[in-house]
Amino acid sequence: MNFPRKTMKPKYRQDTFLQIGSAGAVLSLLFLANCAASDLDWQEASLVTTGDLRYNEVQQKSSHNSFQRHEGLLDQLVYHRIRSVELDIYRGKFGRPGLSDDWYVYHIPFIDTGTSCDRLSNCLQELKVFDQQQPYHEIVTVWLDIKDGWGDSQTPAAFDALVSQYIDKDDILKPSDLFAACPGATSLKQTVVGSCRWPTLDSLRGKWMFVLTNGAYSNNRPDRVGFSTGTASNTNDVDNSNRIFLNQGDANNPLSRYIHAQRLVSRRYVVDTQNDFNSALSGLVHHVATNKVNFHRDSWSKTHNSAGWPFKCITSCGTSAEEEVVIGIQVNSEDIWDRGDHFHFLHQTMGTLNGRWSAAVNSASSHIDQWAKGCVMARASTASDSPYFAVCRPADNKKLRVQYRDNYGSNSSANDTDIAHADGLDQPNLTYVKMDVYNGGKCAAGFGSQDGERWTRIATRCFNHTLVLQGIAASSHGNAEVKHLFTNLSYWGNIQRKAAFTESDIGTVRSARAFDGSFP
């Protein structure tokens, strides 16, 4: 059973250019002239195929209570290679107004209410951004724990409608899709057993799946956008259920192997030690739910391969990769700050000094120096004390910011701000940066965004020096190696690859390397 693979191409975001006098008008014309050409850079790449490998034939790391991890949703998906996340949703929250057609996201009332995305709609905004960034991603499974049931306006139909506002229904694997692919099936379980099977991973690229813990959501009705899961404690629970997704709260490997043998899909939680993680893998658990998101900190807590492909095959499989448009920089340096800078610089010497640069920047975002930085930058020279303008995402727990140095040898200054249109989202987890260089390379404006479509201006600065070198910069702020990922890096909307840049180490750089993709 296969489904047509998603074929949409990413759309260049035609946001409004900053208008500043006649220079702004000229740049707007240049921008419009380049819009059509930008589409040429989005060629559908030749994907590394996984052949006939099916959804139930791989295992994957699953983020437990994904809204509550130190790593934001986007960093979990982009940097930490996770394709299985979990959200706890409630109809109400103490001290907060009631909601209509939406849900609050948190763990336990009164006791444990912290979250990186306040409402389900906020979390879905972040998932939508990932879908726009990487439209050929491997299928993402979203587990939703319905904590307090349904209400008058917070109904299963309202849930479906909310999800469909952010994720195109055609990009969601639904019960109806499984029934359509298995004519004659009278139960959901029959759509994946016998002569019918789960779809292949190749056919699920760019797709999503939503699995809810509340059986009253659908009883796996074909007309819902998601599935209901069951709980399995013994083989009778498996045999007597029509569920094709089964949760396990204990380490019962014979049961998880039995679930796999029935071609059903298991999820085990919470798996937070190396022994338990390895045991779950040997027990053929499909979704291994853990709080240990950062694979640098807990190197055992991963299922991705050396190319970043997020799954582990239950049987052997070849080297697979996921299509993405990313430039990575791994660096060990001092800081971009004070009177001299220390970082790795990928730059172009601009013939046309006016330009627009944008990217989404992701890092480990936990167990890392919070002032390590990934930036788009314009600079007068490669001297460490050169004038510069940069729009940066600090690596952890800091907001998007603009940094600049006005003159050679002067101190650096910074502006950071809350990004508009991101109400309900944790500001340090926002990823989009943009830099507009104008006035013949002597002025620059920096912007931040949650979604790469709506931008907030952070700061504007003009210089006595021409900012002739433009590109991306990465620092680690201390004697440790840090990796920054720049997704969909573009100049005037045209995607840039590593080969387009000259590389320079500025100041104290102990080691550095740049590469196309998420891993060297």
Side-chain angles (χ1 to χ4, degrees), residues 329 343-350 357-359 374-379 389-391 435 437 467-474 486 489-491 496 501-502:
I329 301 178
F343 66 101
H344 193 62
F345 192 23
L346 268 64
H347 54 90
Q348 299 175 10
T349 302
M350 308 308 295
W357 296 86
S358 65
C375 315
V376 289
M377 176 182 282
R379 195 172 183 91
F389 184 94
V391 193
M435 176 180 66
V437 182
L467 305 179
V468 65
L469 303 179
Q470 299 173 20
I472 54 176
F486 298 82
L489 174 67
S490 69
Y491 172 70
Q496 305 295 297
F501 296 93
T502 299

Side-chain angles (χ1 to χ4, degrees), residues 456-472:
T456 296
R457 184 165 63 183
I458 302 172
T460 302
R461 200 74 179 170
C462 289
F463 301 82
N464 294 322
H465 305 271
T466 303
L467 305 179
V468 65
L469 303 179
Q470 299 173 20
I472 54 176

Side-chain angles (χ1 to χ4, degrees), residues 168-228:
D168 191 316
K169 286 184 73 171
D170 289 341
D171 292 333
I172 301 173
L173 181 66
K174 303 174 288 296
S176 59
D177 297 319
L178 296 182
F179 277 105
C182 185
T186 59
S187 71
L188 191 62
K189 186 179 286 188
Q190 289 179 10
T191 67
V192 296
V193 300
S195 61
C196 296
R197 303 185 66 183
W198 287 90
T200 65
L201 292 178
D202 279 358
S203 69
L204 293 176
R205 280 204 175 97
K207 302 283 187 180
W208 297 79
M209 191 147 42
F210 294 85
V211 186
L212 286 76
T213 58
N214 188 291
Y217 162 68
S218 68
N219 201 25
N220 294 313
R221 283 170 40 181
D223 59 332
R224 294 292 182 217
V225 303
F227 299 83
S228 291

Side-chain angles (χ1 to χ4, degrees), residues 323-367:
E323 174 62 13
E324 56 186 1
V325 184
V326 174
I327 295 177
I329 301 178
Q330 204 153 290
V331 62
N332 182 339
S333 72
E334 293 303 316
D335 195 15
I336 307 172
W337 191 241
D338 291 328
R339 297 181 183 276
D341 302 321
H342 312 274
F343 66 101
H344 193 62
F345 192 23
L346 268 64
H347 54 90
Q348 299 175 10
T349 302
M350 308 308 295
T352 302
L353 294 171
N354 298 325
R356 159 173 291 176
W357 296 86
S358 65
V361 184
N362 294 93
S363 65
S365 66
S366 72
H367 306 291

Side-chain angles (χ1 to χ4, degrees), residues 1-8 47 55 60 77 82-85 127-128 130-132 134-142 163 166-174 176-178 198-211 225 227 287 310-311 322-323:
M1 173 174 56
N2 294 307
F3 298 106
R5 185 163 57 80
K6 185 174 184 177
T7 56
M8 64 165 283
L47 301 177
Y55 178 81
Q60 57 187 299
L77 292 163
I82 290 172
R83 297 293 175 267
S84 176
V85 298
L127 300 183
K128 177 182 177 180
F130 175 69
D131 196 51
Q132 292 173 328
Q134 298 188 17
Y136 308 118
H137 59 78
E138 299 289 348
I139 186 168
V140 179
T141 306
V142 183
V163 169
Y166 296 92
I167 306 295
D168 191 316
K169 286 184 73 171
D170 289 341
D171 292 333
I172 301 173
L173 181 66
K174 303 174 288 296
S176 59
D177 297 319
L178 296 182
W198 287 90
T200 65
L201 292 178
D202 279 358
S203 69
L204 293 176
R205 280 204 175 97
K207 302 283 187 180
W208 297 79
M209 191 147 42
F210 294 85
V211 186
V225 303
F227 299 83
H287 293 257
F311 305 139
E322 190 172 28
E323 174 62 13

